[in-house]
Amino acid sequence: MIKLLSLTLSLCISAVLFAQQQHNLIIDTKNPIAEVSPTMWGVFFEDINFAADGGIYAELVKNRSFEFRNPMQGWRTVGLSMDKGEALVINRQAEVSSNFRFMRINLANKKEPCGIQNEGFRGMGIKAGENYNFYIQAKTADKNMGMQLELIDENKEVIASASYQQFTNEWQEHHVSFKAGKTVEKAQLKVLFTGEGIIDIDMISLFPENTWKMRPKGLRADLVALLDSLHPGFVRFPGGCIVEGYDLENRYQWKKTVGPIEDRTVIKSRWMDEFRHRMAPDYYQSYGVGFYEYFLLSEDLKAQPLPILNCGMACQYNSKEVCQMDEIGPYIQDALDLIEFANGTTTSTWGKLRADMGHPEPFNLKYLGIGNEQWGPQYVERFIEFQKTLKDQHPEIVLIAASGPTPDERSEYLWTELTKLKAEILDEHYYKDPNWFYTNTTRYDSFDRNGPKVFAGEYASHTKGGNAPESRNNWEAALSEAAFMTGLERNADVVVMTAYAPLFAHKEAWQWNPDMIWFDNLQAMPTPNYYVQQIFSLNMGDRVLPITENNLPLSGQNSLYSSVTIDDSKKELLIKLVNSSNEKKAVNLKINGAKINSKSVMSMETLSSDLDTFNEVGGGNNFEKEVSQIALKSKLLTFDLAPLSVNVVKITLSK
Ligand code: AHR
């Protein structure tokens, strides 16, 4: 059982006699060792585990435009025979290049309403009392054609319905709103037609009205709210391996994800069949969430947008395909055009598209990632080309280079080569066991202060080995990440960006485990790893101060790990302390060089638990937080750290 302990900290000027070992810690407020980058704690949105379609994108209809390999995947006919041609999927590829399929329904001689039924993404999450917006593109010459909509529950009972009768003979979007009468986790949608005749339909869509910021066809409000509560410094998107693709054909091409959603080309997700134990044959990318939406999300969260682009290399775990060096031009052009899309004037080609989509103001892009987990000389060669052009034309954009998938000889090679090239930031990834995280809290202590900075771009503690289904988001993993994060913060002069990965997972449709936020069709549940991220990001100061025991930085001695920052505007000390042992630790804390008196306010938050505790979607939250505040009267504090705990002590210094 997780307990969030609100510990009473007692002031103690004279020495206190304890049987247990005392830890005499000293904070030196006069000698800061680093500035903390505002981008220090960010999030990494990756379209894996149904994080986009079926996840943050609030669309409830799967395969809304019949573009999956099997155009009827997710659909079934109701009262119509496809064999008899009563429902036909029609290909108009010669006319349009994306979204080229639509459905033709022929209702000749039908007495009952007939049509199609969609199963949603593992069902549709519907909430009683909420409004839902249905959209359809349709065209019919038959004026008597009507439409009947029904949401049905798992027992086929109708929980919401609506009807409509204003179709025209031109392709046009039609919109119907209705309210649901019942909460259902796995509802389905029937789209039925009445009358005599033929109707063509496409882009069949259902969204809750209550999306993030109530934007029509927007994002799932509860999932974005959880990101918002993290106050992330940046949002990295859209991956991950989907940037690379299984092969170059399957790579992420941002230009195909912007503009009207019906023009965005649906592609197969590379996660569909990556893991045999977690196949997801219905995993596609509709790009309803595309680069415009990612920029907007970053802006909503007041976070720096951090897009990662393909660098002419497909996933090196998969096809290992690379573009020819003399064919790298279009990849670099994509980067130039993206900068124009994000920052260009509204009279520029791509800046105009941004404005047409509803955002004339620039998105203020400052960072751009070149490739995901690339390695080898083939990456260096390609990075050089990107660097040359981008630094020449856009010196203001900070480029983030890859350093392979894990810290090993491949990343050492890239550190050497990319340092020679004066790369600005390198993206490090580590999915390791808890012990690795504990022993690597000092990883960056010895990094060259004059070399590239570090983006700890993907990390997570895996208790049962790399991506094992049995690895859980338990306290054992989260505690080791917290210890490691003190090492990241202590080295804020080298480490400038960090993100846990992956971010989201649908409880039934995941491929990768563990993940920071789990959800089903109705609700989401943060993990202890989420709460560790949050306690760090909400307690981030401007400068790092040294904290020592016996004149050594506290980085694992006696299972204690710490980092301290000061928030200059609030004059607040933020002291993170992790105790990874099974024993309570007694701390005497001395703060040198600061004014602390009876007006100083002190509080301490503690998360602690048994190592195997975790949260489950639909279950209770074992990680509720409490804060107690205590006045401080002198410079020496005495308090205990609970076993297996992550703590933040806040002290407001007197002005
Ligand atoms: O986060 C899961 C995957 O791990 C990412 O797509 C990839 O970058 C890494 O291998």
Coordinates of all heavy atoms in Angstrom, one line a residue, residues 44 46 48 236 239-242 244 270-271 317 372-373 405 429 431 458 501-503 512 515, ligand 1:
F44 N 7.5 12.9 -24.1 CA 7.8 12.4 -25.4 C 6.6 11.7 -25.9 O 6.2 10.6 -25.4 CB 9.0 11.4 -25.2 CG 9.2 10.4 -26.4 CD1 8.9 10.9 -27.7 CD2 9.6 9.1 -26.3 CE1 9.1 10.0 -28.8 CE2 9.8 8.3 -27.3 CZ 9.5 8.7 -28.6
E46 N 4.8 9.6 -28.4 CA 5.1 8.7 -29.5 C 3.8 7.9 -29.8 O 3.1 7.5 -29.0 CB 6.1 7.7 -28.9 CG 6.5 6.6 -30.0 CD 7.6 5.7 -29.5 OE1 7.9 5.8 -28.3 OE2 8.1 4.9 -30.3
I48 N 2.6 5.0 -30.3 CA 2.7 3.6 -30.0 C 1.7 3.3 -29.0 O 1.2 4.2 -28.3 CB 4.2 3.4 -29.5 CG1 4.5 1.9 -29.3 CG2 4.4 4.1 -28.2 CD1 5.9 1.6 -28.9
R236 N 8.2 16.3 -27.3 CA 8.8 15.7 -28.4 C 7.8 14.9 -29.2 O 6.9 14.2 -28.6 CB 9.9 14.7 -27.9 CG 10.5 13.9 -29.0 CD 11.6 13.0 -28.5 NE 11.9 12.0 -29.5 CZ 12.8 11.0 -29.3 NH1 13.4 10.9 -28.2 NH2 13.0 10.1 -30.3
G239 N 7.6 10.4 -32.5 CA 8.2 9.2 -32.1 C 9.7 9.5 -32.1 O 10.1 10.6 -32.4
G240 N 10.5 8.5 -31.8 CA 10.3 7.1 -31.8 C 10.5 6.5 -33.2 O 10.8 7.1 -34.2
C241 N 10.4 5.2 -33.2 CA 10.6 4.4 -34.4 C 9.7 4.7 -35.5 O 10.0 4.5 -36.7 CB 10.5 2.9 -34.1 SG 11.9 2.3 -33.0
I242 N 8.5 5.3 -35.2 CA 7.6 5.6 -36.3 C 8.2 6.7 -37.2 O 7.8 6.9 -38.4 CB 6.1 6.0 -35.9 CG1 6.1 7.3 -35.2 CG2 5.5 4.9 -35.1 CD1 4.6 7.9 -35.3
E244 N 11.2 6.7 -38.2 CA 12.1 6.0 -39.1 C 11.3 5.1 -40.1 O 11.6 5.0 -41.3 CB 13.0 5.1 -38.3 CG 13.9 5.9 -37.3 CD 14.5 5.0 -36.3 OE1 15.4 4.2 -36.6 OE2 14.0 5.0 -35.1
R270 N 4.0 1.2 -37.9 CA 5.0 0.2 -37.9 C 4.9 -0.7 -36.7 O 5.6 -1.8 -36.6 CB 6.4 0.9 -37.9 CG 6.6 1.9 -36.8 CD 8.0 1.9 -36.3 NE 8.4 0.7 -35.6 CZ 9.5 0.0 -36.0 NH1 10.2 0.5 -36.9 NH2 9.8 -1.1 -35.3
W271 N 4.1 -0.3 -35.7 CA 3.9 -1.2 -34.5 C 2.9 -2.2 -34.7 O 2.7 -3.1 -33.8 CB 3.5 -0.3 -33.3 CG 4.6 0.7 -32.9 CD1 4.6 2.0 -33.1 CD2 5.9 0.4 -32.4 NE1 5.8 2.6 -32.7 CE2 6.6 1.6 -32.3 CE3 6.6 -0.8 -32.1 CZ2 7.9 1.6 -31.8 CZ3 7.9 -0.8 -31.6 CH2 8.5 0.4 -31.5
Y317 N 16.8 -1.5 -36.7 CA 16.4 -2.9 -36.2 C 15.6 -3.6 -37.3 O 15.5 -4.8 -37.2 CB 15.6 -2.7 -35.0 CG 16.3 -2.3 -33.7 CD1 16.0 -1.1 -33.1 CD2 17.3 -3.1 -33.2 CE1 16.7 -0.7 -31.9 CE2 18.0 -2.7 -32.0 CZ 17.6 -1.5 -31.4 OH 18.3 -1.1 -30.3
N372 N 16.0 9.4 -35.4 CA 15.7 8.9 -34.1 C 16.8 8.1 -33.4 O 17.7 8.7 -32.9 CB 14.4 8.0 -34.2 CG 14.0 7.5 -32.8 OD1 14.1 8.2 -31.8 ND2 13.6 6.2 -32.8
E373 N 16.8 6.8 -33.6 CA 17.9 6.0 -32.9 C 18.9 5.6 -33.9 O 19.3 4.4 -33.9 CB 17.2 4.8 -32.2 CG 16.6 5.1 -30.9 CD 16.0 3.9 -30.2 OE1 15.8 2.8 -30.9 OE2 15.7 4.0 -29.0
P405 N 20.6 3.6 -30.0 CA 19.4 3.2 -29.2 C 19.8 2.9 -27.7 O 18.8 2.8 -26.9 CB 19.0 1.8 -29.9 CG 20.3 1.3 -30.5 CD 21.1 2.5 -30.8
H429 N 19.2 7.3 -25.3 CA 18.1 6.4 -24.9 C 18.5 5.3 -24.0 O 19.6 4.7 -24.2 CB 17.4 5.8 -26.1 CG 16.8 6.8 -27.1 ND1 16.1 6.5 -28.2 CD2 16.7 8.2 -27.0 CE1 15.7 7.6 -28.8 NE2 16.0 8.6 -28.1
Y431 N 16.6 2.0 -21.9 CA 15.6 1.2 -21.3 C 16.4 0.1 -20.6 O 16.9 -0.8 -21.2 CB 14.7 0.6 -22.4 CG 13.9 1.6 -23.2 CD1 14.3 2.0 -24.4 CD2 12.7 2.2 -22.6 CE1 13.6 3.0 -25.1 CE2 12.0 3.1 -23.3 CZ 12.4 3.5 -24.5 OH 11.7 4.5 -25.2
E458 N 14.7 9.3 -24.2 CA 13.8 8.2 -24.0 C 14.4 7.4 -22.8 O 15.6 6.9 -23.0 CB 13.7 7.2 -25.2 CG 12.9 7.8 -26.3 CD 12.8 6.8 -27.5 OE1 12.7 5.6 -27.2 OE2 12.7 7.2 -28.6
A501 N 9.8 7.4 -21.5 CA 9.2 6.9 -22.7 C 8.8 5.4 -22.5 O 9.4 4.7 -21.7 CB 10.1 7.0 -23.9
P502 N 7.7 5.0 -23.2 CA 6.8 5.8 -23.9 C 5.8 6.5 -23.0 O 5.7 6.1 -21.8 CB 6.0 4.8 -24.8 CG 6.9 3.6 -24.9 CD 7.6 3.6 -23.6
L503 N 5.0 7.4 -23.5 CA 4.1 8.2 -22.7 C 2.8 7.5 -22.4 O 2.3 7.5 -21.3 CB 3.9 9.5 -23.5 CG 3.1 10.6 -22.8 CD1 3.7 11.0 -21.5 CD2 3.1 11.8 -23.8
W512 N 4.1 -1.9 -26.1 CA 5.4 -1.7 -25.4 C 5.0 -1.5 -23.9 O 4.1 -0.8 -23.6 CB 6.1 -0.5 -25.9 CG 7.4 -0.2 -25.4 CD1 7.7 0.3 -24.1 CD2 8.7 -0.4 -26.0 NE1 9.0 0.5 -24.0 CE2 9.7 0.0 -25.1 CE3 9.0 -0.9 -27.3 CZ2 11.0 0.0 -25.4 CZ3 10.4 -0.9 -27.6 CH2 11.4 -0.5 -26.7
D515 N 4.8 1.9 -19.5 CA 4.5 3.2 -20.1 C 4.0 4.2 -19.0 O 3.5 3.7 -18.0 CB 3.4 3.0 -21.2 CG 3.7 2.0 -22.2 OD1 4.6 2.2 -23.1 OD2 3.2 0.8 -22.1
Ligands
AHR1 O1 9.7 4.0 -26.9 C1 9.6 2.8 -27.6 C2 10.7 2.8 -28.7 O2 11.9 2.6 -28.1 C3 10.8 4.0 -29.6 O3 10.0 4.0 -30.6 C4 12.2 3.9 -30.0 O4 12.8 5.1 -30.3 C5 12.9 3.1 -29.0 O5 13.5 2.0 -29.5

